[in-house]
Amino acid sequence: GLTLHCEELAGLGPVALHRMSLCRALSNLIRQVAGTMSAGGALIVRGRQEGAQVCLEVCGAGQGIPAEKLALVFEPWYTTYPEGTGLELYVAQAIAMAHGGMVTVQSSHAQGITFTLALPCVEGA
């Protein structure tokens, strides 16, 4: 019941990255958002340029993350899923940091969740 929509991904600035690592980080973020969308709906991957950074947002209108648990989501071994390892978001953050970037999260219990993967643009490119 999920549909994936990709928006505004063309024309983003150049980023130095390890392709397979970026794919892993994005797939981890997509799985996390999809896991909150039990009723289905649109899962959106959206790109934007923000100063000297390229940002990729992964958004979904699922149940979201309670405010008191937001600070824990990037901790290793933290999970709310019975079958989860608690490593997907930790690994996504580690990959982003290895590329000089970071992952942030915005969520409200009623509005869903947005993960933003921000990576620095290549200077002078």
Side-chain angles (χ1 to χ4, degrees):
L2 292 175
T3 57
L4 177 63
H5 296 271
C6 297
E7 301 175 354
E8 302 172 31
L9 296 175
L12 297 173
V15 175
L17 55 89
H18 182 265
R19 184 174 57 89
M20 293 305 294
S21 294
L22 179 66
C23 287
R24 180 162 185 197
L26 277 174
S27 67
N28 285 359
L29 298 177
I30 289 168
R31 272 196 299 278
Q32 288 297 308
V33 172
T36 69
M37 299 176 66
S38 59
L43 192 151
I44 300 167
V45 177
R46 178 183 304 121
R48 64 179 158 74
Q49 185 90 30
E50 192 171 283
Q53 290 186 321
V54 167
C55 297
L56 299 174
E57 296 176 338
V58 180
C59 318
Q63 68 187 111
I65 301 170
E68 65 274 8
K69 296 186 179 185
L70 278 176
L72 301 171
V73 298
F74 296 110
E75 293 294 320
W77 314 116
Y78 176 77
T79 184
T80 59
Y81 300 110
E83 69 284 350
T85 64
L87 292 176
E88 285 186 332
L89 294 176
Y90 173 77
V91 168
Q93 182 71 281
I95 290 168
M97 292 174 76
H99 287 83
M102 66 183 308
V103 178
T104 57
V105 62
Q106 292 179 318
S107 182
S108 72
H109 199 62
Q111 297 295 321
I113 186 166
T114 299
F115 286 104
T116 303
L117 170 62
L119 299 171
C121 292
V122 175
E123 292 184 34

